[in-house]
Amino acid sequence: MRAAVRLAAWVYAIAVYGFIFLPVVVLVLFSLQATSFPIPPFTGPSLRWYQAVLADARLTSALVNSLLVAVLSSLASVTLGFLSAWGFARFVLPGSALLRGLITLPLTVSYLIIGMGLLVLFNWAGVPKSLLAAGIGHVVINLPLCFAIIYSQMGDHQINIERAARDLGAAEWKVLLLITVPVMAPAIFAGFFLSMTFSWDEFVISFLLTRFETTLPVEIWNLLRSGLNPKTNAVGSLVFAVSIVLVVFFELTLLRRKPA
Amino acid sequence: MSVSGSNPRALPWALVTPALAWTLLFFVLPFIAMGFSSLTAHEGGGFTLANYSQFFADPSYWRAMVNSLEITAIVTVISILLAYPFAWILAEMVPERWQRLALMLAVLPFWTSYVVRSYSWLLVLAQNGVINRALTGIGLIAEPLQLANTRFATVTGFVHFFVMLLTLTIFANLKQLSPSYRKAAADLGAGPARTFLHVVLPLTLPGIMVGAFLTFVLCIGDYITPQILGGNNELVMPQLVMMQIGRRGDFPLASALSIILMAVVTIAYLACARWLKIERA
Amino acid sequence: MSAPLVDIRNVSHRFGQLPVLKDVSLAIEPGSYTILLGPSGSGKTTLLSILGGFVTPSEGKVFIRGQDCTAVPPAKRPTTTVFQDYALFPHMSVGGNVGFGLRMRGIDGATRAAKARDALALVGLAAAFDKKPHQLSGGQRQRVALARALVIEPAVLLLDEPLGALDLKLRRQMQDELKAIQKRIGTAFVHVTHDQEEAMALADHCVVMNDGGIEDEGPPERVYARPKTRFSATFMGESTILAGSVSGAENGIVTVSTAVGPVSLPGAPPAGDTVALAIRPEHLLLGEARGSVALGAGKVGDVVFQGSFKRVLAASALDAALQFIAKAPASATVQAGDTIAISCNARDIILLAD
């Protein structure tokens, strides 16, 4: 009986793994297709579709745009998030709970609605659609995330550490730079990398707020209109690879910092 | 000269003001703008409630909201039912030293671009895609099934994503549970089933609620998955919103529909608020 | 006599509506080891925070070396604090931690390193310079925190329950070292604790606090032998407390009527006053009328073997609410259930106004 339950559990786990990996495997496999349709039977392996992607100036420039927007918007998010988390955790501010709620509020709102709101606002204000507009939207979605992560990690122990630094004569900006930032580094890293992956992946805000120059997910979306195409598989696999590199890097840096 | 030395009151505000200003300027203000827009007539401007009454009067609009809610509910329930046992197996049966790797693998496709993820499911579910080829190949069916462009496809795409998300949150929850609870329950005479039912499940319920709420918010607001996998046979709210912008440039109606969607999410948030506190450790 | 190093004048403090310090005045002499002793909630830690500059009192003034420091921030006053959790900077080496205060004062790297090494040598950790805090044991971290605070040569070193996180044996060992270091460098130490043994072992000047006020202060020997209040008599060491009222006062001798009968002892309060008599455990004598004051019979409730002595708890046969706490030699044969005569000598009785 017990053995049967164990077996069933393993079968179940393997089935779920199968479900989770099925689309990814199909995606990557048919990106190596030699013929023009990413459907069975498999005719590869061939790298022709990867060559096609790299030769496509629209896709490569979209990739650069995506990275640019991801890095810059994440830097802005993590900076604003860190400063506000520090302010709220260390000082008694009137209406603190309410203001913290305001900062985390965008977490509960769909990206679509955030994008819509910005679209309407920018439309009225005469701000043209651009990568900058999309980047602003990405900060709106990632700032509350960075704030929540960093704020949740600011424990009371760190309050004493900062006090000790002040007591030993450190000016406020030195406390920030020499003590708080290094001590909070894991949370700051976590916020930054999560923002990176979310921004890198984000579609709807970029779709609504950019026009000529756009980000990779929007460009991939444009590719989809031509139906199933191994070139889409190839670019999708590349995007996946970049995400995986980010995630593995993130895991390793954070894991190494954690004492066993 | 230290900042605090010159004016101790100014520093905390200097720290929190940029984030607050950003939120007000690019989150609250757009919302107000959207509110105004939703009360404006598309043709010629001027105050009107027509955009809202249109939603309540037109059954096809209603239908989109019902579809959204139905799909979200189905996805949330299926995802939790699939993810909980999976997270349990990872947390309880996989040896400690492999757990991190097992979890990382289980959520790896989580990090693929979601446009790409939906597209990948299209490859799997298409008329001549992997599943249909496999089933016809082994002779189980004669004609390919209509899998893509259905509600089934939308739900599959969503469940795929949310199983991973919920596995993460539930796994974290199970691991946080002190083993002493279970030992205490066993010590007091509860068998594995009763320990689970009376101790583990109630203690992990808050984590499930957080996961369920995330699923709800992300699912009901997503445009990509229903658009790519469900197609235009059955519209959901985000598709309806995007249609107003895309085809007709009708910002006022799109705004009104967004606000209605937002209201539904807010109601769900208020219902779960007590489980969703963000607090300092 | 010179002015005190630290002069706390009529300090009161409230957290919101809650008063935590009520009109506290205290002088700290140069080179002294002052202990603030009290239970949690007595205001001792708040008083230390006010000294350190982390809290500005609601009322009153703090003078350090004659200067009004009441609202001076921590960095700008001649005090440094050793925090209860040590608050070492986890991302810096031990040397970096100890040198931090000097670095903030713009002292060059070489001088800094030399001074940090000296300070580490002072606390017996010369070899730990390049280690990270997490590689050290609790006791070692404690020493690093001490070295870090001392290296900038404060006029007053403030220690917030510095030994609280250590196990008993290490605590006693660190006590001795703290005292030795303080005597060597001559800096005034102000040390907060709730451990009365720690207080007795370390203090030149012991300040017993309760409920936001100072109950008693003075050399620990005096505070123990002649506590000024009932709280002090029970918090700094144990006491048996006999409640009573003065029935006669004549020629410096008072007679107090208590539940165990009249007790005569030297004292001044007029007839009619309610008083309390405190007797230290080691002054209670068990067995046939050995002392000058008979305290009636007691029924022994519990005998706890403590190694060098036995702690005996006995309920008075005359008043069941009265508990005697006595110290008997380890060889005593007294057992739970025995009924035993209890007495003491008049000179050992502490007369407290109630």
Side-chain angles (χ1 to χ4, degrees):
Chain A
M1 182 57 202
R2 276 196 97 84
V5 171
R6 284 190 77 83
L7 184 70
W10 287 120
V11 169
Y12 179 78
I14 289 164
V16 175
Y17 271 117
F19 172 65
I20 287 172
F21 275 92
L22 176 64
V24 177
V25 170
V26 171
L27 175 79
V28 177
L29 181 69
F30 287 105
S31 73
L32 300 167
Q33 187 82 317
T35 45
S36 300
F37 291 101
I39 48 170
F42 181 59
T43 55
S46 148
L47 288 176
R48 63 178 280 209
W49 298 107
Y50 286 89
Q51 284 165 345
V53 167
L54 295 179
D56 187 330
R58 287 193 65 86
L59 283 177
T60 48
S61 74
L63 185 133
V64 173
N65 290 343
S66 266
L67 280 176
L68 210 64
V69 170
V71 170
L72 294 180
S73 74
S74 301
L75 274 178
S77 306
V78 87
T79 307
L80 295 180
F82 170 75
L83 291 178
S84 51
W86 197 50
F88 281 117
R90 291 294 180 266
F91 301 95
V92 181
L93 289 169
S96 170
L98 199 74
L99 295 176
R100 277 182 281 141
L102 178 66
I103 289 184
T104 47
L105 198 60
L107 278 182
T108 61
V109 178
S110 305
Y111 290 3
L112 171 69
I113 291 169
I114 291 172
M116 263 300 302
L118 284 169
L119 179 65
V120 171
L121 180 74
F122 288 166
N123 198 39
W124 272 5
V127 179
K129 292 185 174 188
S130 66
L131 288 173
L132 178 67
I136 287 173
H138 287 185
V139 176
V140 173
I141 58 173
N142 286 328
L143 163 60
L145 191 76
C146 290
F147 171 79
I149 290 174
I150 296 170
Y151 183 75
S152 72
Q153 293 301 313
M154 288 205 166
D156 290 340
H157 179 66
Q158 281 143 10
I159 296 184
N160 265 354
I161 289 180
E162 287 171 11
R163 275 187 178 168
R166 262 177 226 131
D167 188 35
L168 294 168
E172 214 57 45
W173 66 272
K174 280 189 177 168
V175 174
L176 183 73
L177 230 60
L178 298 175
I179 307 298
T180 315
V181 170
V183 168
M184 293 304 297
I188 292 173
F189 263 118
F192 181 75
F193 280 107
L194 269 184
S195 298
M196 279 278 287
T197 52
F198 285 167
S199 169
W200 169 249
D201 205 18
E202 201 289 319
F203 168 77
V204 79
I205 293 174
S206 305
F207 182 72
L208 289 171
L209 298 180
T210 61
R211 180 163 288 157
F212 305 112
E213 274 200 296
T214 189
T215 60
L216 196 54
V218 179
E219 210 52 71
I220 294 174
W221 169 260
N222 291 335
L223 267 185
L224 287 188
R225 294 187 179 158
S226 59
L228 301 184
N229 182 344
K231 192 171 159 190
T232 314
N233 288 47
V235 70
S237 304
L238 285 176
V239 173
F240 182 47
V242 172
S243 303
I244 296 306
V245 168
L246 275 180
V247 172
V248 169
F249 182 69
F250 168 73
E251 280 271 337
L252 289 182
T253 47
L254 277 195
L255 268 186
R256 253 192 310 159
R257 288 174 166 277
K258 269 204 186 116
Chain B
M1 192 66 205
S2 79
V3 182
S4 71
S6 54
N7 189 350
R9 300 259 172 250
L11 174 71
W13 288 111
L15 293 170
V16 301
T17 302
L20 286 171
W22 194 279
T23 310
L24 287 174
L25 201 58
F26 298 119
F27 179 70
V28 177
L29 191 61
F31 217 77
I32 295 169
M34 203 158 65
F36 272 112
S37 171
S38 74
L39 296 171
T40 324
H42 178 41
E43 306 289 342
F47 175 84
T48 176
L49 285 170
N51 297 309
Y52 289 97
S53 57
Q54 194 172 347
F55 172 80
F56 290 103
D58 190 332
S60 69
Y61 286 17
W62 257 112
R63 191 63 229 166
M65 178 56 91
V66 173
N67 288 339
S68 273
L69 287 172
E70 279 176 4
I71 289 175
T72 301
I74 294 168
V75 165
T76 306
V77 171
I78 295 180
S79 302
I80 290 173
L81 290 181
L82 280 177
Y84 199 106
F86 186 56
W88 168 270
I89 293 167
L90 291 183
E92 298 296 318
M93 293 178 64
V94 173
E96 196 82 32
R97 54 186 303 220
W98 296 111
Q99 275 185 0
R100 234 192 137 82
L101 185 69
L103 186 72
M104 211 177 138
L105 271 180
V107 298
L108 205 58
F110 184 81
W111 305 107
T112 46
S113 160
Y114 75 145
V115 176
V116 173
R117 208 163 37 230
S118 297
Y119 168 75
S120 307
W121 273 109
L122 201 60
L123 293 175
V124 174
L125 300 174
Q127 189 88 28
N128 39 18
V130 177
I131 287 190
N132 274 323
R133 283 293 171 95
L135 292 180
T136 45
I138 59 173
L140 211 65
I141 51 172
E143 290 297 313
L145 299 167
Q146 172 69 34
L147 297 174
N149 297 319
T150 61
R151 181 182 278 201
F152 170 78
T154 304
V155 170
T156 305
F158 272 135
V159 166
H160 179 242
F161 179 72
F162 292 114
V163 161
M164 294 188 277
L165 183 81
L166 285 163
T167 300
L168 264 181
T169 59
I170 297 170
F171 177 87
N173 237 254
L174 285 168
K175 293 304 282 183
Q176 274 169 12
L177 227 56
S178 159
S180 348
Y181 288 128
R182 251 168 285 171
K183 284 185 193 154
D187 192 37
L188 296 169
R194 302 219 314 184
T195 303
F196 177 78
L197 206 64
H198 296 299
V199 178
V200 177
L201 191 59
L203 286 172
T204 49
L205 212 53
I208 297 176
M209 288 306 299
V210 172
F213 176 71
L214 269 177
T215 308
F216 182 89
V217 171
L218 294 175
C219 189
I220 206 163
D222 187 26
Y223 166 66
I224 283 289
T225 308
Q227 179 68 21
I228 294 179
L229 290 170
N232 288 322
N233 296 333
E234 182 186 63
L235 293 182
V236 294
M237 283 298 282
Q239 288 175 293
L240 203 59
V241 172
M242 295 295 267
M243 274 170 80
Q244 309 314 318
I245 305 169
R247 271 193 225 151
R248 308 167 40 210
D250 191 344
F251 283 23
L253 182 55
S255 297
L257 294 173
S258 300
I259 285 171
I260 291 167
L261 183 59
M262 168 78 191
V264 171
V265 175
T266 306
I267 291 166
Y269 174 73
L270 292 176
C272 313
R274 47 183 288 221
W275 287 294
L276 300 170
K277 294 212 173 91
I278 296 164
E279 280 302 327
R280 282 197 290 139
Chain C
M1 197 170 146
S2 63
L5 176 63
V6 176
D7 192 5
I8 298 170
R9 288 188 206 158
N10 306 101
V11 161
S12 295
H13 192 64
R14 281 176 298 278
F15 286 129
Q17 291 296 309
L18 188 75
V20 285
L21 283 176
K22 301 166 190 164
D23 194 23
V24 169
S25 295
L26 178 67
I28 291 164
E29 300 302 326
S32 68
Y33 202 125
T34 304
I35 293 265
L36 305 180
L37 174 69
S40 50
S42 59
K44 59 189 192 303
T45 303
T46 308
L47 187 58
L48 195 79
S49 298
I50 287 172
L51 266 178
F54 298 106
V55 172
T56 306
S58 314
E59 284 158 46
K61 295 247 176 253
V62 177
F63 292 87
I64 302 176
R65 291 199 290 221
Q67 283 191 318
D68 183 354
C69 286
T70 315
V72 175
K76 302 226 156 55
R77 55 171 80 195
T79 59
T80 35
T81 300
V82 174
F83 291 87
Q84 184 173 10
D85 56 7
Y86 318 140
L88 298 182
F89 309 130
H91 57 296
M92 292 183 193
S93 69
V94 165
N97 264 283
V98 177
F100 187 83
L102 300 169
R103 187 172 159 200
M104 291 303 112
R105 283 158 180 73
I107 290 165
D108 68 275
T111 317
R112 214 155 73 203
K115 285 198 168 189
R117 280 183 201 282
D118 288 347
L120 281 170
L122 178 72
V123 298
L125 268 182
F129 190 86
D130 293 314
K131 289 195 175 152
K132 281 287 186 79
H134 68 87
Q135 294 171 294
L136 305 178
S137 69
Q140 289 171 324
R141 284 180 214 180
Q142 163 70 65
R143 290 165 208 235
V144 173
L146 191 62
R148 182 176 73 177
L150 285 174
V151 77
I152 58 172
E153 296 169 6
V156 189
L157 184 77
L158 308 174
L159 304 107
D160 182 10
E161 306 231 3
L163 310 176
L166 306 178
D167 64 54
L168 189 66
K169 195 173 168 195
L170 202 54
R171 202 177 329 164
R172 299 291 172 245
Q173 185 192 332
M174 278 303 298
Q175 263 173 26
D176 300 341
E177 285 189 33
L178 269 180
K179 184 89 178 174
I181 289 169
Q182 194 264 335
K183 289 299 159 218
R184 192 158 358 136
I185 59 174
T187 303
F189 280 27
V190 180
H191 174 142
V192 159
T193 184
H194 58 258
D195 178 347
Q196 38 107 359
E197 280 188 49
E198 200 170 297
M200 287 189 263
L202 285 168
D204 301 326
H205 190 77
C206 184
V207 180
V208 181
M209 294 189 66
N210 183 38
D211 196 23
I214 294 177
E215 291 270 342
D216 199 357
E217 62 172 308
E221 296 82 358
R222 203 282 292 147
V223 174
Y224 183 82
R226 291 282 145 190
K228 286 211 175 86
T229 67
R230 186 169 172 160
F231 176 82
S232 174
T234 48
F235 194 77
M236 179 111 157
E238 292 181 310
S239 297
T240 299
I241 301 284
L242 289 168
S245 59
V246 179
S247 53
E250 224 177 300
N251 303 331
I253 301 288
V254 291
T255 305
V256 179
S257 48
T258 72
V260 296
V263 175
S264 294
L265 70 160
D273 268 21
T274 43
V275 294
L277 304 179
I279 308 153
R280 293 294 186 185
E282 59 272 27
H283 294 144
L284 276 182
L285 306 168
L286 304 178
E288 276 317 308
R290 293 161 56 201
S292 62
V293 180
L295 298 170
K299 186 165 172 64
V300 176
D302 205 1
V303 179
V304 184
F305 180 56
Q306 303 264 8
S308 57
F309 65 94
K310 280 178 176 162
R311 188 162 170 270
V312 179
L313 297 175
S316 168
L318 298 164
D319 177 5
L322 173 60
Q323 270 284 341
F324 290 106
I325 307 166
K327 212 169 164 179
S331 58
T333 54
V334 58
Q335 282 178 23
D338 290 357
T339 298
I340 195 164
I342 299 172
S343 61
C344 69
N345 288 311
R347 64 169 185 278
D348 293 328
I349 299 177
I350 305 154
L351 177 64
L352 303 166
D354 207 24

